[in-house]
């Protein structure tokens, strides 16, 4: 029997929805794309711990404190699952950290905005986690096995994250005028960055076509964004609050909500590193890593000493 | 600097089931790897037992050999119970 | 800030006073050290350990809530307040001098080694305490202690291994751990002097706790190649509300929302 070329076998697997596993042959660009995307996703999880972590010590009830701590801890876990998935592609976690710290690797721009009030924790849960889940659910079917499996685990764990955020806003919405204002202000600040999380519009998204062909991506940025807007436009009514968009209007013909123009200049500015907290976030990560160096070294030295490795 | 080695984690989700691969993590030694696995992979009561193996000790078959290793089992239908036609009145077999 | 204790009529002579104070003391210990550990979230030396410490913090928040809920129930049962007191009232509406936690638990995090060591010294105490408490005459406290004992057993295991690892790791880590031990040692005797339990009619064998604690600490510290400080200069006062400035600073952060927007639901 004629041995098929590796590329044909690979394409065939993708075509038939057979997962690609670490030791399988894969095009170098597929490998690089995955490393970039998975590590970027992992970085987003751990940088994403910072804005919310900022409120763990100030959470206003013991219940909320436990929930928020568990949630931010979950994000550390998600980062870890994703780094592990990327490691199956032949890159080490430290190398990925290095790329993060030197600014070579990106993470989701949303985490470069500050968390100014407690309501921000609600808005992040509802909008930012909501958008993340919308992005992530299709990734559970991504063609690369370890990535898809990490995403399944992550999506399962994420399900409470969005609910806790919505619950915070719901409580604030029913609270004092100050609390309602706080909730509305948070939504005003997080709404636009949240819908930017789906990435640039399809006509200027360079990776979409190839990634769709490789079945890393299942829906386009604009498709997912529209779905998210449709859902949030309804949910915000339950909160008795508003989305900060005067152009938001149900379009009977399309069967979707129309919404206003996104300020892509702001998006690219934040991506480039000029967001309100880019510098602070990276410095904090770098500092945690540097301050932990003696701990990691000591544990290695101890293992060598006691286990005779 | 030397990075902590990578470990593969296997978890038995309940008594009576096999340990199943769930992912990997970094740890300086085996003891720490078990504890890290407990903290990372069983936060939601996912397990009753943990195995950890340093990743470098796993030997895996190569995908290139998959054809010669696994395809030959394809035509041994007689190994499966459904291969045999028995009269309906034969019960409990 | 208004204190919730102003809304509770609890004269020292009331038969429930002892048990309420003791329960709050147990709760405060768990909450304060949990809070300290939670400050690490997102800043740990490696993801795996960030997650590990958050787990311990979550266990301890859970214990604190159980104790506070029981204290609140005691207030209700004894009609000591005209309003309903909740777990959060105790945590968020008391001033530093109304907290009864041991001074050790409120000490600031320092470096990772200080935090680990603080946990080890405290968890070891909590372990031997809960071992007795689970059989005590108060069935509520006994039940909480029994459940928590499994958690604490793991905390002791995790923290003692880390103390040994860092003590006998590199020269740098050894020095850092010895410094941390010297720094925290003055706060250890307060754990072993008991006091509040007997006023609550909970009979504990304090001498046994002290012996067991000392034995465990001595053996782990030796295994870590560290030296127990010879100084007998100890500080006390936490159980009487005499705290170090660390607690005031911590509560200012923790109670920030209650202080800024009093009297609303979150």
């Amino acid at each position: 029997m004629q041995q098929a070329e590796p590329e044909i076998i690979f394409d065939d697997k993708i075509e038939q929805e057979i997962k690609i596993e670490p030791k399988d042959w894969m095009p170098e660009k597929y490998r690089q794309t995955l490393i970039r995307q998975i590590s970027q996703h992992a970085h987003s999880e751990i940088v994403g711990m910072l804005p919310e972590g900022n409120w763990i010590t100030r959470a206003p009830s013991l219940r909320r404190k436990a929930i928020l701590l568990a949630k931010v801890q979950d994000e550390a876990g998600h980062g870890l699952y994703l780094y592990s998935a990327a490691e199956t592609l032949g890159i080490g976690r430290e190398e990925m950290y290095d790329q993060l710290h030197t600014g070579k690797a990106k993470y989701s721009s949303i985490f470069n905005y500050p968390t100014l009030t407690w309501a921000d924790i609600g808005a992040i849960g509802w909008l930012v986690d909501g958008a993340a889940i919308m992005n992530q659910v299709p990734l559970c079917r991504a063609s690369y096995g370890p990535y898809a499996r990490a995403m399944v685990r992550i999506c399962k764990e994420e399900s409470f994250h969005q609910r806790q955020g919505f619950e915070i806003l719901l409580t604030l919405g029913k609270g004092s005028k100050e609390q309602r204002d706080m909730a509305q202000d948070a939504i005003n600040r997080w709404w636009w960055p949240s819908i930017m999380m789906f990435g640039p519009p399809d006509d200027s998204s360079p990776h979409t076509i190839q990634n769709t062909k490789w079945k890393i991506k299942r829906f386009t940025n604009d498709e997912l964004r529209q779905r998210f807007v449709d859902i949030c436009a309804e949910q915000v009514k339950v909160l008795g609050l508003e989305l900060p968009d005067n152009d938001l209007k149900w379009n009977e013909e399309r069967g979707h909500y129309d919404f206003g123009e996104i300020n892509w200049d702001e998006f690219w500015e934040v991506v480039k590193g000029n967001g309100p907290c880019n510098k602070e976030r990276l410095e904090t990560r770098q500092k945690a890593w540097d301050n932990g160096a003696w701990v990691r070294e000591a544990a290695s030295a101890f293992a060598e000493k006691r286990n005779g490795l | 600097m030397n990075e902590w080695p990578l470990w593969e984690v296997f978890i038995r989700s309940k008594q009576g089931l096999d340990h199943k691969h769930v992912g990997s993590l970094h740890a300086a030694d085996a003891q720490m790897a078990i504890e890290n696995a407990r903290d990372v992979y069983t936060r939601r009561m996912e397990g009753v037992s943990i195995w950890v193996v340093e990743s470098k000790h796993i030997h895996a078959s190569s995908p290139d050999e998959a054809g010669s290793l696994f395809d030959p089992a394809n035509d041994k239908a007689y190994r499966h119970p459904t291969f045999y036609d028995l009269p309906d009145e034969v019960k409990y077999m | 800030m208004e204190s919730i204790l102003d809304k509770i009529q609890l004269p020292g002579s009331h038969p429930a006073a002892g048990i309420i104070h003791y329960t709050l003391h147990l709760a405060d210990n768990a909450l304060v050290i949990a809070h300290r550990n939670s400050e690490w979230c997102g800043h740990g030396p490696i993801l795996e350990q960030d997650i590990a410490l958050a787990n311990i913090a979550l266990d301890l928040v859970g214990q604190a809530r159980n104790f506070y809920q029981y204290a609140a129930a005691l207030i209700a049962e004894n009609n000591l307040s005209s309003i309903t007191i909740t777990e959060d009232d105790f945590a968020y509406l008391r001033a530093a001098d109304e907290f009864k936690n041991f001074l050790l638990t409120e000490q600031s995090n320092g470096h990772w080694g200080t935090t680990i060591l603080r946990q080890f010294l405290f968890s070891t105490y909590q372990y031997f305490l809960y071992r007795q408490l689970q059989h005590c005459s108060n069935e509520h406290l006994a039940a909480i202690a029994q459940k928590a004992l499994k958690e604490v057993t793991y905390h002791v295991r995790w923290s003692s291994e880390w103390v040994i690892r860092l003590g006998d790791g590199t020269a740098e880590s050894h020095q850092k751990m010895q410094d941390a031990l010297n720094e925290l040692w003055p706060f250890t005797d307060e754990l072993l002097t008991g006091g509040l339990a007997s006023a609550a009619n909970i009979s504990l064998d304090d001498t046994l706790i002290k012996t067991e604690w000392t034995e465990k600490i001595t053996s782990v510290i030796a295994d870590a190649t560290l030296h127990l400080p010879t100084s007998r200069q100890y500080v006390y006062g936490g159980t009487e509300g005499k705290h170090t400035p660390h607690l005031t600073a911590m509560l200012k952060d923790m109670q920030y929302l209650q202080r800024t927007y009093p009297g609303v639901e979150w």
Side-chain angles (χ1 to χ4, degrees), chain A residues 49-294:
Chain A
M49 294 172 75
L50 301 175
E52 287 176 283
N54 181 29
W55 280 89
I56 291 173
T57 59
R58 291 176 288 174
S61 71
L62 296 176
R63 177 173 170 270
R64 296 253 182 247
K65 192 183 193 68
I67 293 170
L68 185 58
L69 180 55
K71 174 182 192 279
V72 180
Q73 182 204 37
D74 271 351
E75 281 152 16
H78 299 171
L80 196 151
Y81 307 153
L82 289 160
Y83 284 125
S84 296
E87 281 181 280
T88 64
L89 292 158
I91 184 169
R93 199 197 291 174
E94 289 205 7
E95 192 182 339
M96 289 185 268
Y97 271 2
D98 197 53
Q99 293 175 349
L100 171 67
H101 296 154
T102 55
K104 196 179 149 211
K106 299 280 178 234
Y107 55 88
S108 181
S109 283
I110 193 91
F111 301 117
N112 290 320
Y113 292 88
T115 40
L116 303 177
T117 71
W118 171 250
D120 289 23
I121 301 306
I124 289 182
W126 176 43
L127 297 174
V128 178
D129 290 320
I133 292 169
M134 189 75 65
N135 266 326
Q136 287 168 356
V137 168
L139 291 172
C140 295
R141 294 191 292 130
S143 58
Y144 186 57
Y147 190 26
R149 291 192 287 274
M151 292 315 306
V152 168
R153 187 172 272 276
I154 289 170
C155 286
K156 223 193 287 176
E157 296 187 358
E158 285 267 350
S159 52
F160 92 84
H161 293 186
Q162 194 185 12
R163 282 164 175 254
Q164 66 90 35
F166 194 79
E167 192 196 73
I168 288 173
L169 292 176
L170 204 54
T171 309
L172 293 175
K174 285 190 227 149
S176 68
K177 176 165 188 317
E178 272 171 317
Q179 287 176 304
R180 279 196 305 279
D181 290 348
M182 194 189 272
Q184 184 61 57
D185 169 63
I187 293 172
N188 293 349
R189 282 180 290 109
W190 289 96
W191 171 249
W192 290 104
S194 297
I195 62 173
M196 290 181 202
M197 279 175 73
F198 296 95
D202 294 346
D203 50 25
S204 56
S205 172
H207 304 297
T208 295
I209 295 170
Q210 181 62 68
N211 289 359
T212 307
K213 197 178 130 226
W214 276 335
K215 295 186 180 165
I216 297 172
K217 215 176 159 107
R218 299 276 176 171
F219 300 98
T220 70
N221 296 351
D222 287 333
E223 282 169 348
L224 291 170
R225 184 167 16 245
Q226 181 69 59
R227 201 182 294 176
F228 182 69
V229 170
D230 289 347
I231 289 173
C232 292
E234 291 300 320
Q235 289 175 345
V236 77
K237 295 177 188 167
V238 181
L239 294 174
L241 299 165
E242 286 171 9
L243 296 176
D245 181 356
N246 294 328
D247 298 324
L248 187 76
K249 211 167 51 230
W250 177 253
N251 182 326
E252 194 62 50
E253 204 176 307
R254 291 203 307 127
H256 289 293
Y257 274 90
D258 290 336
F259 54 99
E261 195 73 28
I262 294 173
N263 181 353
W264 290 110
D265 292 342
E266 174 184 326
F267 175 81
W268 290 115
E269 274 307 300
V270 181
V271 170
K272 271 189 278 173
N274 301 323
C277 301
N278 294 57
K279 192 160 168 284
E280 180 190 334
R281 298 285 183 246
L282 277 187
E283 277 172 6
T284 308
R285 278 312 315 163
Q286 176 88 56
K287 192 173 151 216
W289 184 245
D290 293 347
N291 286 347
W294 71 274

Side-chain angles (χ1 to χ4, degrees), chain A residues 25-43:
Chain A
W25 185 91
M26 61 187 85
E28 193 49 31
K29 276 214 57 185
Y30 177 82
R31 180 189 302 274
Q32 291 309 327
T33 300
L34 281 169
I35 289 178
R36 185 178 50 79
Q37 182 172 331
I38 300 172
S39 67
Q40 189 170 321
H41 192 165
H43 298 326

Side-chain angles (χ1 to χ4, degrees), chain C residues 30-202:
Chain C
L31 176 64
V32 171
I33 199 164
H35 183 98
R36 282 298 185 213
N37 289 337
S38 79
E39 292 172 353
W40 271 104
C41 187
H43 307 276
I46 192 163
L47 273 180
E48 284 83 348
Q49 298 309 323
D50 210 308
I51 294 171
L53 192 61
N55 269 347
I56 292 180
L58 283 169
D59 287 343
L60 289 162
V61 172
Q63 292 176 23
R65 292 183 66 186
N66 287 335
F67 287 126
Y68 284 134
Q69 285 165 12
Y70 177 51
L74 283 169
I75 303 247
E77 268 168 40
N78 290 283
N79 291 317
L80 298 172
S81 177
S82 57
I83 58 165
T84 307
I85 304 294
T86 69
E87 53 174 11
D88 290 326
D89 293 334
F90 291 123
Y92 292 96
L93 300 180
R94 279 185 303 154
D97 62 3
E98 293 165 340
F99 274 74
K100 298 170 187 303
N101 58 286
F102 291 128
L103 300 178
L104 177 70
T105 59
E106 72 200 38
Q107 296 311 301
S108 59
N109 283 340
H111 55 62
W112 181 254
T114 320
T115 297
I116 294 280
L117 190 67
R118 184 185 61 201
Q119 194 63 44
F120 169 62
L121 296 170
F122 178 71
S123 292
T124 305
Y125 160 75
Q126 226 187 11
Y127 175 77
F128 292 118
L129 171 73
Y130 286 178
R131 269 222 317 212
Q132 291 193 26
L133 207 56
Q134 66 173 336
H135 302 301
C136 79
S137 54
N138 182 305
E139 56 178 1
H140 296 278
L141 292 185
I144 298 172
Q146 191 185 19
K147 178 178 173 289
L149 190 58
K150 287 183 195 153
E151 300 167 351
V152 176
T153 304
Y154 184 75
H155 304 169
V156 172
R157 168 181 166 164
W158 180 86
S159 60
S160 60
E161 283 171 11
W162 266 105
V163 168
I164 296 168
R165 213 173 258 135
L166 295 177
D168 193 21
T170 59
E172 183 191 6
S173 73
H174 177 85
Q175 189 57 50
K176 277 183 146 68
M177 291 310 279
Q178 187 62 55
D179 292 346
L181 184 57
N182 298 345
E183 188 189 321
L184 293 179
W185 192 249
F187 302 105
T188 53
D189 200 51
E190 189 184 27
L191 309 178
L192 308 171
T193 50
L196 293 178
S198 56
N201 281 324
I202 302 287

Side-chain angles (χ1 to χ4, degrees), chain B residues 5-85:
Chain B
L6 192 66
W7 301 73
E8 300 301 323
V9 180
F10 302 81
I11 299 215
R12 186 199 295 289
S13 57
K14 61 178 192 190
Q15 293 295 106
L17 296 183
D18 290 323
H19 284 78
K20 192 175 154 220
H21 184 245
V22 295
S24 62
L25 46 73
H26 288 275
D29 54 47
Q31 181 74 6
M32 194 201 285
I34 288 180
E35 287 168 20
N36 289 353
R38 178 256 191 202
D39 285 321
V40 172
Y41 288 106
T42 68
R43 297 200 302 285
R44 288 173 170 78
M45 301 182 293
E46 293 98 331
V48 296
S49 164
I50 295 171
W51 288 351
V52 292
V53 184
E54 212 180 317
S55 309
K56 69 176 184 196
H57 295 312
I58 301 244
H59 299 271
S61 63
S62 157
D64 297 344
E65 303 158 347
S68 59
L69 288 175
F70 311 114
D71 288 354
N74 265 345
D75 62 353
K76 313 270 189 313
Y78 47 82
R79 285 186 187 278
H80 299 277
T82 46
F83 180 74
Y84 301 90
D85 270 332

